[in-house]
Amino acid sequence: MAETNLRVLLRARPEGKVGPEHFEVKEEGLPSPRPGEALLRNRYLSLDPYMRGRMSARKSYAAPVEIGGVMVGQTVAEVVEDPTGTFRPGDIVLGGSGWQRFCCVPVAGLRKLNPEAAPLTTALGVLGMPGTTAWVGVTEMSPPKPGETYVVTAASGAVGGVAGQIAKRMGARVVGIAGGPEKCAFVTGELGFDACVDHKAPDFPELLAEACPDGIDGYFENVGGAVQKAAWPLMNEFGRMAFCGSIAEYEDKEPAPGPNLGQINRKKLSLRGFIVSDHPRAFVEWRRIGSRLVKDGSLKYREDVVKGLENAPEAFMGLLAGKNFGKLVIDLG
Amino acid sequence: MAETNLRVLLRARPEGKVGPEHFEVKEEGLPSPRPGEALLRNRYLSLDPYMRGRMSARKSYAAPVEIGGVMVGQTVAEVVEDPTGTFRPGDIVLGGSGWQRFCCVPVAGLRKLNPEAAPLTTALGVLGMPGTTAWVGVTEMSPPKPGETYVVTAASGAVGGVAGQIAKRMGARVVGIAGGPEKCAFVTGELGFDACVDHKAPDFPELLAEACPDGIDGYFENVGGAVQKAAWPLMNEFGRMAFCGSIAEYEDKEPAPGPNLGQINRKKLSLRGFIVSDHPRAFVEWRRIGSRLVKDGSLKYREDVVKGLENAPEAFMGLLAGKNFGKLVIDLG
């Protein structure tokens, strides 16, 4: 029996909350590489919040997935066949594509991984796009100074966990925000943040203010919504805010109003939005620096690995609801 | 008869709109210089939007005026008596203080002006704090690149008029926003902006979009409110917004909600608030560069000079309502 390509397609665009009805899991025939492409078998698929944006037709920094098209995503994959001769069958590469078992992608976009150097999944998380996002967001968009207070939202997540540890190394007092006591305990106990506030607590705004008695100098935004609202008035003069994402708002049908912007002027704030793909240099920097920290064990990270491609839709819905705990990766087996 | 000191005091803090009842015009005795101070006779008083903030107890970047205290403001003044011997009687200096006929201020904060070099009022406007604000806001906070679209709000005002001319010199296509056809005609005809949109027009948002067919790359915010709301969705990827002030909101009792901040991330925007007093270097830079441009006539400016200190409260209320046309200065005679 010839092998088939299991794929997760976008069946319909969600208005608001994502449900199983927006996906279709389909068996198709194996693709064939076009000139310059290799055939890959995907081993690990990264699930990330940005994918919610690609499900919508709303204008964003990248084109949406087409209806009936395969869901986008980065993978670690095994080379099955490379007519260009660049890779050998069995080579493990970063740069496979899509919520699917097999893919054909241009070899120019692939990078060979050394399975001995670090667990393969780290290429999708702490050492990959999310880790690099943290690196750019902290060091370039909202650099803390020693002694300052730096607040990281979604602090137990793939980006936030690294962001806080970087800010800590820059000398800041780092306060995390996470959902629930278990995640908060991990953020302080394992990741080494100075404090962590549970945004599900009924008195969250007061708890955040108490955790930041000197106000907030740096703020790493992954969340938006009520978390942003609580942090906004705590910003100090000359504060820096990095806008990386706003996962709490991705399923809103209409964007909610935000804060009055007069404070930007009064407090002389700097707010900077960014997308890591605009910073190719940072991938090189962070791979060099982050790899060393992962190797010596001083940079902590946590992965939430879900087995089976067919479980990707449910896992992704959980990600948007904050149910994952650590970097979410699908193990395709 | 000994001369008296006519002064405008803050009688009560406005909640919302400023009225005559918030001021008291009072004759008092002449002040006497303390050690290190000179006695000055104020000749020109600058009226600026920031003074609205000083009338409120609301936390801001500077302490509020106390009830019964003299309204703050910068003046061009004549030295009456300088016991320190730094200045001679009759010298004209920048750095006098307050809505008042006479003041005693530390000589260390004074700068002698040459009445031959430029009209004295320019030290309060195009070459002074407002001009320097424009310089910092454009060149440091929201620098345009050649060919980009740069939008300036309150474009006929003391700051906006200079900001647009600086952006123009940096190669941008400059679009002003001003209140009414007369101001708009001045902005394009006299100041040389490429276009100007009347924010009082009923279809203002559409007109602004038409005037910016390639979107907005740089935005100089003096206004807030409905003007900001119309510009927000027109911002381009990697756009820069300088937050200098929001005069349309200064008389709001409660800050109105602002835009959802998700666009900062999606469009990778940079928003920077600033107060010119944090940039002392810029005063030196702009004095050098701006003076040359005023002297050769290539930098245009307009002043709105109102005679008589007793008219300052009404003139200030007009400023907040956009009734002035050009830099507002009180001529104390």
Side-chain angles (χ1 to χ4, degrees), chain A residues 183-251:
Chain A
K183 286 182 179 175
C184 286
F186 167 75
V187 166
T188 51
E190 180 69 14
L191 302 184
F193 286 33
D194 296 284
C196 191
V197 184
D198 179 2
H199 66 75
K200 294 181 176 173
D203 52 346
F204 163 65
E206 293 73 30
L207 293 175
L208 182 63
E210 280 170 29
C212 304
D214 300 322
I216 300 175
D217 302 296
Y219 179 79
F220 196 110
E221 179 62 293
N222 290 313
V223 169
V227 168
Q228 181 184 90
K229 195 173 175 182
W232 184 259
L234 301 177
M235 290 304 299
N236 285 335
E237 276 196 312
F238 304 111
R240 285 128 274 150
M241 306 179 84
F243 284 76
C244 175
S246 49
I247 193 167
E249 302 177 354
Y250 289 169
E251 302 197 285

Side-chain angles (χ1 to χ4, degrees), chain A residues 58-61 228 232 237-238 243-246 249-250 252 255-262 264-275 278, chain B residues 58-61 228 232 237-238 243-246 249-250 252 255-262 264-275 278:
Chain A
R58 190 163 83 169
K59 205 178 160 183
S60 185
Y61 53 90
Q228 181 184 90
W232 184 259
E237 276 196 312
F238 304 111
F243 284 76
C244 175
S246 49
E249 302 177 354
Y250 289 169
D252 291 352
N260 183 282
L261 302 187
I264 297 177
N265 165 232
R266 280 196 304 280
K267 292 188 178 171
K268 305 161 266 193
L269 302 181
S270 164
L271 283 67
R272 299 187 62 186
F274 71 106
I275 304 289
D278 291 318
Chain B
R58 190 164 83 169
K59 204 178 159 184
S60 187
Y61 54 89
Q228 182 184 90
W232 185 259
E237 278 196 310
F238 304 111
F243 284 78
C244 175
S246 47
E249 302 178 353
Y250 289 168
D252 290 351
N260 182 282
L261 302 187
I264 297 177
N265 165 233
R266 279 195 306 280
K267 292 188 177 171
K268 305 160 267 191
L269 302 180
S270 163
L271 283 68
R272 298 187 61 186
F274 72 105
I275 304 290
D278 291 318

Side-chain angles (χ1 to χ4, degrees), chain A residues 92-122:
Chain A
I92 303 295
V93 293
L94 176 70
S97 157
W99 297 23
Q100 55 191 346
R101 169 86 50 199
F102 293 93
C103 66
C104 287
V105 295
V107 293
L110 299 175
R111 190 166 60 78
K112 191 174 168 180
L113 296 177
N114 173 7
E116 310 296 318
L120 290 177
T121 48
T122 60

Side-chain angles (χ1 to χ4, degrees), chain A residues 21-328:
Chain A
E21 68 277 17
H22 301 116
F23 301 97
E24 180 178 6
V25 182
K26 202 173 174 184
E27 298 243 15
E28 298 187 357
L30 280 202
S32 301
R34 286 174 294 188
E37 291 185 341
L39 172 66
L40 310 179
R41 181 187 177 97
N42 289 324
R43 300 292 299 273
Y44 296 103
L45 163 67
S46 179
L47 292 188
D48 301 282
Y50 76 83
M51 294 166 174
R52 177 64 184 82
R54 306 292 179 89
M55 297 177 79
S56 295
R58 190 163 83 169
K59 205 178 160 183
S60 185
Y61 53 90
V65 175
E66 286 176 33
I67 299 289
V70 69
M71 285 290 296
V72 292
Q74 197 183 34
T75 69
V76 166
E78 187 183 325
V79 175
V80 176
E81 181 196 344
D82 177 7
T84 75
T86 310
F87 298 100
R88 280 177 301 186
D91 277 354
I92 303 295
V93 293
L94 176 70
S97 157
W99 297 23
Q100 55 191 346
R101 169 86 50 199
F102 293 93
C103 66
C104 287
V105 295
V107 293
L110 299 175
R111 190 166 60 78
K112 191 174 168 180
L113 296 177
N114 173 7
E116 310 296 318
L120 290 177
T121 48
T122 60
L124 299 173
V126 62
L127 295 177
M129 183 277 284
T132 310
T133 300
W135 176 250
V136 174
V138 177
T139 63
E140 295 191 33
M141 299 294 149
S142 58
K145 296 175 187 170
E148 287 191 331
T149 299
Y150 194 91
V151 167
V152 177
T153 63
S156 72
V159 174
V162 178
Q165 292 180 80
I166 293 169
K168 186 85 189 152
R169 281 168 188 270
M170 293 174 80
R173 178 172 174 273
V174 178
V175 177
I177 300 176
E182 196 193 355
K183 286 182 179 175
C184 286
F186 167 75
V187 166
T188 51
E190 180 69 14
L191 302 184
F193 286 33
D194 296 284
C196 191
V197 184
D198 179 2
H199 66 75
K200 294 181 176 173
D203 52 346
F204 163 65
E206 293 73 30
L207 293 175
L208 182 63
E210 280 170 29
C212 304
D214 300 322
I216 300 175
D217 302 296
Y219 179 79
F220 196 110
E221 179 62 293
N222 290 313
V223 169
V227 168
Q228 181 184 90
K229 195 173 175 182
W232 184 259
L234 301 177
M235 290 304 299
N236 285 335
E237 276 196 312
F238 304 111
R240 285 128 274 150
M241 306 179 84
F243 284 76
C244 175
S246 49
I247 193 167
E249 302 177 354
Y250 289 169
E251 302 197 285
D252 291 352
K253 292 192 186 180
E254 288 296 324
N260 183 282
L261 302 187
Q263 142 164 316
I264 297 177
N265 165 232
R266 280 196 304 280
K267 292 188 178 171
K268 305 161 266 193
L269 302 181
S270 164
L271 283 67
R272 299 187 62 186
F274 71 106
I275 304 289
V276 69
S277 49
D278 291 318
H279 301 265
R281 190 186 70 188
F283 284 87
V284 182
E285 283 180 357
W286 178 243
R287 209 148 57 219
R288 178 168 61 81
I289 291 168
S291 298
R292 210 167 53 217
L293 304 179
V294 165
K295 201 167 184 178
D296 73 16
S298 65
L299 184 72
K300 310 294 182 182
Y301 64 98
R302 179 179 171 125
E303 295 176 342
D304 190 339
V305 180
V306 173
K307 281 193 188 297
L309 180 61
E310 63 281 7
N311 296 318
E314 194 187 329
F316 182 65
M317 290 179 250
L319 174 69
L320 292 175
K323 288 183 186 159
N324 63 307
F325 190 171
K327 171 67 191 111
L328 184 59

Side-chain angles (χ1 to χ4, degrees), chain B residues 123-140:
Chain B
L124 299 173
V126 62
L127 295 177
M129 184 276 284
T132 310
T133 299
W135 177 250
V136 174
V138 177
T139 63
E140 296 192 33

Side-chain angles (χ1 to χ4, degrees), chain B residues 15-31:
Chain B
E15 299 281 332
K17 246 190 153 40
V18 176
E21 68 276 17
H22 301 117
F23 301 97
E24 180 176 8
V25 184
K26 203 172 174 183
E27 299 243 15
E28 298 187 359
L30 279 203

